[in-house]
Amino acid sequence: MLVWRKWFTPLAADVWVAAWGRRFGQRMIVTQEVHRSTVRVDVYARGESGAARLKSRFGGRVLRLTPAVWWRPQVPRAMPLRIGRRLLVVATEKKAAEWRRRYPQRAVVSIPAGPAFGTGQHASTRMCLRALCDAWPFGSLLDAGCGAGILAIAGAKLGARRVQAFDCDPAAVRETRVNARRNGVRFLVRRMDLASLEANRFDVLAANILSGPLVAHAGRLRRSVRRGGRMILSGIRPNQEAEIVRAFVGCRLVGRRSSDGWVCLVMKRL
Ligand SMILES: C[S@@+](CC[C@H](N)C(=O)[O-])C[C@H]1O[C@@H](n2cnc3c(N)ncnc32)[C@H](O)[C@@H]1O
């Protein structure tokens, strides 16, 4: 995730936001902290080239937010992670073999800790896994912002015939490919930004991304699933829920879970 950041005086921030706020919309976050006399403006960039354009035009700097910066794991990982009656997530191949023997009727996913986000430790991922199990059976799945690939791999392990995954972070793409091989499943993994998502007819979409990108790209996300298809949207704070529901025009809220201060919504395309 690339973020362009610049500090302004309050007056200069007002002028900048008046001039550019509409253009960046939901991708822009303006923060004034009580103990500072300056105002921070962040814009979530559209890929490397978008970030470079922002920097060359407005100065400031570009930050690469790693999962460790923008997501803090909130609970120690309980092993194996049991998701309903269908899925188990473990951290090593040895454990995976052991749990496959013990529970042959369950899909067992093995995801070791790595640089990309998504070992199942974070509540937002766990709620997506649960929503995937609730949505089963489905024929096709798109994992948008796949991190370590856990959701795509879980979908493939459950038995989805067509699975695709993408992430804007090349490290996440590499890790998803490695993890897919480790789990003995094959699917298309691409390096791509949400801004380039094309229309498609997936049965289920899983997008565990922060609410800013979800709102900014709601139309694209909606068009990536067929009519009647489900969108599992996670990485949302409770105070952002209403905005998400409003942004997904032509969809109906059909499911909601919350845990550890995070919310996961399931929307159905009408
Ligand atoms: C919170 S992680 C989720 C990883 C995994 N899907 C999970 O549920 O654990 C969000 C992922 O979305 C990716 N991401 C964020 N903004 C994106 C964008 N605009 N386009 C594509 N991927 C994006 C990040 O690089 C990160 O890997």
Side-chain angles (χ1 to χ4, degrees), residues 181-230:
R181 271 199 298 280
R182 184 194 312 276
N183 282 275
V185 289
R186 287 167 73 94
F187 51 82
L188 178 66
V189 188
R190 287 190 287 172
R191 181 182 174 198
M192 192 176 86
D193 194 282
L194 260 181
S196 309
L197 181 61
E198 58 284 334
N200 211 309
R201 295 176 54 80
F202 285 96
D203 295 325
V204 177
L205 160 90
N208 179 13
I209 305 186
L210 293 175
S211 86
L214 289 176
V215 169
H217 300 291
R220 281 193 182 82
L221 290 164
R222 180 178 62 87
R223 286 189 296 276
S224 70
V225 298
R226 63 167 170 78
R227 286 184 194 283
R230 311 244 153 172

Side-chain angles (χ1 to χ4, degrees), residues 1 70-71 117-118 125 128 143 145-148 150-151 166-169 172 192-194 208-209 213:
M1 166 82 68
W70 56 291
W71 299 83
F117 183 97
T125 310
C128 286
D143 182 355
C146 53
I150 186 168
L151 304 179
F166 72 88
D167 201 293
C168 58
D169 178 354
M192 192 176 86
D193 194 282
L194 260 181
N208 179 13
I209 305 186

Side-chain angles (χ1 to χ4, degrees), residues 31-261:
T31 312
Q32 177 150 32
E33 292 168 14
V34 276
H35 59 282
R36 279 183 189 267
S37 58
T38 45
V39 174
R40 191 178 81 201
V41 178
D42 288 340
V43 174
Y44 285 77
R46 293 198 165 123
E48 305 267 354
S49 55
R53 272 199 302 279
L54 280 161
K55 185 161 185 263
S56 78
R57 177 144 200 189
F58 302 116
R61 62 200 182 106
V62 171
L63 311 171
R64 185 177 292 277
L65 297 192
T66 63
V69 177
W70 56 291
W71 299 83
R72 260 176 232 110
Q74 296 180 11
V75 284
R77 190 171 179 186
M79 275 299 151
L81 187 62
R82 294 161 196 263
I83 310 289
R85 278 195 240 135
R86 292 189 198 282
L87 198 60
L88 287 168
V89 181
V90 297
T92 64
E93 264 317 294
K94 195 165 160 227
K95 284 274 170 214
E98 179 190 330
W99 286 89
R100 278 182 197 120
R101 266 196 311 278
R102 285 170 73 169
Y103 291 98
Q105 75 285 16
R106 291 192 189 219
V108 179
V109 173
S110 145
I111 305 280
F117 183 97
T119 55
Q121 185 174 357
H122 198 278
S124 64
T125 310
R126 289 199 309 274
M127 291 189 289
C128 286
L129 290 168
R130 187 61 210 239
L132 273 182
C133 288
D134 291 347
W136 185 252
F138 49 84
S140 56
L141 168 71
L142 176 64
D143 182 355
C146 53
I150 186 168
L151 304 179
I153 293 167
K157 282 282 191 187
L158 284 170
R161 289 184 308 282
R162 184 166 75 104
V163 176
Q164 287 187 19
F166 72 88
D167 201 293
C168 58
D169 178 354
V173 171
R174 275 195 300 277
E175 207 170 323
T176 295
R177 289 185 178 140
V178 169
N179 283 334
R181 271 199 298 280
R182 184 194 312 276
N183 282 275
V185 289
R186 287 167 73 94
F187 51 82
L188 178 66
V189 188
R190 287 190 287 172
R191 181 182 174 198
M192 192 176 86
D193 194 282
L194 260 181
S196 309
L197 181 61
E198 58 284 334
N200 211 309
R201 295 176 54 80
F202 285 96
D203 295 325
V204 177
L205 160 90
N208 179 13
I209 305 186
L210 293 175
S211 86
L214 289 176
V215 169
H217 300 291
R220 281 193 182 82
L221 290 164
R222 180 178 62 87
R223 286 189 296 276
S224 70
V225 298
R226 63 167 170 78
R227 286 184 194 283
R230 311 244 153 172
M231 286 157 281
I232 298 168
L233 309 173
S234 199
I236 301 163
R237 292 298 196 182
N239 63 353
Q240 300 165 331
E241 248 181 282
E243 192 186 5
I244 298 275
V245 173
R246 272 198 306 275
F248 280 76
V249 177
C251 304
R252 186 155 51 88
L253 182 65
V254 292
R256 179 191 185 276
R257 279 176 197 281
S258 67
S259 172
D260 292 336

Side-chain angles (χ1 to χ4, degrees), residues 15-26:
V15 172
W16 195 89
V17 171
W20 297 101
R22 283 177 70 128
R23 169 150 175 192
F24 297 117
Q26 299 285 346

